[in-house]
Amino acid sequence: MTLQLSERVRALGAQAERGLTEQFSRIDAIAAENTERVLAAFQKHRVAESYFAGTTGYGYDDMGRDQLDAIYADLFGTEDALVRIGFVNGTHAISCALFGALKPGDTLVSAVGAPYDTLLGVIGVTDKGPGSLREYGIGYRQVDVTADDRPDVEGIRAAVAEPGVKAVLIQRSRGYATRASLSVDEIKALCTAVRQVRPEVHILVDNCYGEFVETREPTHVGADLVVGSLIKNPGGGLAPTGGYIAGRRDLVEAAAMRLTTPGIGRECGSTLGNNRLLYQGLFLAPHTVAQAVKTAVFGAKLMELLGYRADPASDAVRHDIIQMIHFGEPEKVKRFCRGIQKGAPVDSYVTPEPWDMPGYDCQVIMAAGAFIQGASIELSADAPMREPYTVYLQGGLTYESGKAGVLLAVEELLKGE
Ligand SMILES: *Cc1c(COP(=O)(O)O)cnc(C)c1O
């Protein structure tokens, strides 16, 4: 038994791989350093079997949960952290962080264009849906990226100088935008620019897809808070659900009051036997992220060989696990996604179709066959069905399976030619 791959596609794959030695050793070196950081944090906090027992009911005195908070805080270089399966997704964690950091009359500034699609509803950018920041009287300003897709540093300075600005949101990854993802160094420069104008403003970073891609995180270079999803990078493919927040203690505490209730905050929240998966996932995360980054780089190289434009290019230094491939037309997008689906370990027999996904303003096609529903640290491809018909490819629990998925996608694509 082998996968249905033609000699032509296998040969293209081998050719792509030959050109990636340097990239792969760079990625391995980052994984090695991050693995050491994780191990050292586990050792410092004396991780033991007893941490995995977990709690039920209210979840008081969950030692494993509370020690994991401390481990995340160490890894992100912060005073405090909150790692919880009670966050239903990354959007929920970011929402709690924003509601914690902002009060009626305050203004939020999004520093690098529109935030991730699902946050538009949280902020109330496009409508006055019930419960949004806007409904609570919290203002919003957005600084768009420049014509060449770079952060508009002068625009950001001007925006945060306005009265009432209390928090700045920086999104590390591109999400469904076409701008480049930000490096940790670029985030440092933005933090410095904001601080020069308004030292007291809270700087929140949507860290989704960025964790462990570099050896430092935004909170190491001036951000007050990072937020992300456990079914992406830091869950290592094992965390079954959840999110995390790491940063300044007052901001973490305020977010905890939003996650549960004022007065209870972080004291409640049973872990229901999931602590082991969160620990083991974090332990694997630096390696798993490296597998995903290698899959992305391989996908970029292969598509370049076929004459498509990959962004970032296959030789670019990576800042997140996302790979954009520009197809320019809907049919090729569907073919590529169908092939990715065929490579999945779960649901490989289904055919992905564009659908009206909640929180998005156009149809979206999503190819994924994951062990954990929607986990985009597992190989997945999605594309908003709108110009310029770009596929966002991400994940890959192992490089070998990620590579197989990409090869099957190319096989499907070439059938259409
Ligand atoms: C995934 C993601 C989120 C959160 O999405 P969820 O599906 O709610 O976990 C937010 N911002 C970015 C940039 C993301 O990639």
Side-chain angles (χ1 to χ4, degrees), residues 88-94 115-119 171-176 179 206-209 227-232 242 322 357 360 374 376:
V88 300
N89 54 27
T91 304
H92 184 201
I94 297 166
Y116 193 69
D117 295 52
T118 57
L119 292 173
Q171 184 178 304
R172 181 169 175 182
S173 171
R174 62 178 20 130
Y176 279 154
R179 68 161 172 97
D206 172 351
N207 209 25
C208 284
Y209 287 134
V227 192
S229 164
L230 296 189
I231 64 168
K232 293 179 181 170
I322 310 280
M357 198 180 154
Y360 295 85
S376 41

Side-chain angles (χ1 to χ4, degrees), residues 182-204:
L182 299 175
S183 69
V184 172
D185 275 335
E186 286 169 310
I187 291 173
K188 180 181 182 177
L190 295 185
C191 291
T192 306
V194 168
R195 296 265 183 251
Q196 280 166 351
V197 183
R198 290 286 285 278
E200 77 285 7
V201 155
H202 310 317
I203 303 178
L204 279 52

